[in-house]
């Protein structure tokens, strides 16, 4: 089966600019997650969608980050305006059910963002 | 607070040698523990998933163990290969209402050298 697709693979922007990332989950996976992984650390959940509804966005910096999954399939994550500390790899993952379940839970290859 | 601690932070071994990575967690109540391999610049790939009742699980040259009483897990890599160079991340999931709150370790960076 096709994996979780993310684009772009790399992005370099100046601080205060805006940027958007795209994710297409595995077909049939109702749950989609965005993670932020800073170098040397484990992934941190930003937002979890169940179909097109938000399940958990408690760690999303809502003053600058936004995400949507309008049709319950692919999703975009936006940062506006970007800060230097936003430099990280942004991972998208999808699963058939919730994160605690043993059902397939698959990560995309990520987008590496560098803010200069 | 749920935490996952991994050790060592980094490890260098010679090709062909074995190694063991450690994971200690405080997540409770416990549901399952996963080990992921993350190549540089790539997303994590699942190696093993273990529930409370499982003590060991293998995936090729990777063998994970779990001691739910002491809340410890290990990942043993046998006859290491250059392609094993990666970060290995331990992830723990609680059961019950908070089952969606995965806790990630910071990973162990393994370098296999010729």
């Amino acid at each position: 089966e096709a994996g979780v697709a993310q684009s772009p693979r790399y992005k370099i922007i100046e601080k205060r600019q805006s940027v958007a990332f795209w994710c297409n989950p595995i077909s049939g996976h109702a749950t989609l997650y965005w993670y932020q992984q800073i170098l040397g650390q484990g992934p941190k959940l930003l937002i979890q969608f169940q179909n097109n509804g938000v399940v958990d966005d408690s760690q999303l910096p809502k003053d600058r980050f936004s995400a949507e999954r309008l049709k319950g399939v692919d999703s975009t994550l936006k940062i506006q305006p970007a800060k230097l500390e936003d430099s990280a790899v942004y991972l998208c993952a999808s699963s058939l059910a919730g994160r605690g379940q043993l059902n397939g839970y698959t990560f995309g290859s990520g987008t590496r963002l560098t803010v200069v | 607070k749920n935490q996952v601690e991994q050790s060592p932070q980094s490890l260098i071994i010679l090709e062909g040698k074995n190694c063991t990575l450690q994971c200690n967690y405080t997540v409770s109540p416990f549901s399952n523990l996963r080990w992921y391999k993350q190549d540089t610049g790539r997303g994590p790939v699942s190696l093993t998933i273990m529930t409370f009742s499982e003590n060991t699980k293998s995936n090729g040259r990777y063998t994970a163990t779990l001691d739910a009483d002491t809340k410890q897990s290990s990942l043993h890599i046998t006859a290491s290969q250059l392609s094993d160079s990666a970060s290995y991340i331990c992830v723990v999931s609680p059961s019950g209402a908070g089952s969606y709150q995965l806790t990630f370790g910071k990973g162990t960076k393994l370098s296999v050298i010729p």
Side-chain angles (χ1 to χ4, degrees):
Chain A
E1 69 180 357
V4 176
Q6 288 190 247
S7 67
R9 289 282 287 120
Y10 306 94
K11 190 73 177 179
I12 301 174
I13 62 172
E14 295 181 349
K15 59 183 179 182
R16 291 188 289 274
Q17 285 187 323
S18 62
V19 64
F21 313 127
W22 175 82
C23 172
N24 190 14
I26 291 175
S27 178
H29 279 195
T31 311
L32 183 148
Y33 321 81
W34 283 102
Y35 286 88
Q36 179 192 59
Q37 186 175 23
I38 294 174
L39 185 66
Q41 298 184 18
K44 181 186 84 170
L45 178 73
L46 293 175
I47 189 167
Q48 175 184 346
F49 291 95
Q50 182 75 17
N51 296 309
N52 60 351
V54 175
V55 173
D56 182 359
D57 64 355
S58 58
Q59 297 194 83
L60 185 73
K62 299 180 184 64
D63 58 333
R64 299 184 300 105
F65 286 64
S66 65
E68 59 183 16
R69 194 185 184 197
L70 294 176
K71 297 183 179 179
V73 181
D74 55 352
S75 174
T76 55
L77 175 70
K78 297 179 182 178
I79 307 175
Q80 181 179 5
K83 293 184 176 181
L84 296 176
E85 58 261 36
D86 297 332
S87 295
V89 175
Y90 290 84
L91 295 166
C92 180
S94 71
S95 70
L96 283 168
R99 280 179 285 162
Q101 304 301 314
L102 294 180
N103 301 32
Y105 189 98
T106 305
F107 284 92
S109 292
T111 295
R112 180 178 295 277
L113 173 67
T114 302
V115 182
V116 298
Chain B
K1 179 181 178 182
N2 289 336
Q3 287 187 316
V4 174
E5 299 289 339
Q6 290 188 244
S7 62
Q9 186 173 7
S10 62
L11 182 63
I12 301 174
I13 62 172
L14 291 174
E15 183 179 12
K17 297 296 185 182
N18 304 334
C19 67
T20 300
L21 314 180
Q22 300 291 340
C23 172
N24 296 338
Y25 62 92
T26 60
V27 177
S28 181
F30 173 84
S31 175
N32 62 77
L33 183 147
R34 316 168 192 225
W35 282 95
Y36 283 89
K37 177 186 179 187
Q38 185 173 23
D39 293 314
T40 300
R42 311 293 295 182
V45 175
S46 179
L47 295 175
T48 63
I49 302 175
M50 289 185 293
T51 61
F52 182 88
S53 60
E54 297 176 295
N55 299 119
T56 185
K57 182 165 284 189
S58 293
N59 178 359
R61 294 179 296 101
Y62 300 101
T63 299
T65 65
L66 174 64
D67 186 333
D69 291 331
T70 61
K71 298 185 178 181
Q72 295 180 327
S73 175
S74 65
L75 180 69
H76 185 73
I77 303 175
T78 304
S80 61
Q81 300 176 358
L82 297 179
S83 59
D84 293 331
S85 295
S87 288
Y88 292 83
I89 303 174
C90 176
V91 184
V92 180
S93 174
S95 61
S99 64
Y100 64 90
Q101 294 176 332
L102 295 179
T103 302
F104 288 78
K106 293 184 178 181
T108 292
K109 184 176 176 62
L110 175 65
S111 299
V112 181
I113 60 175

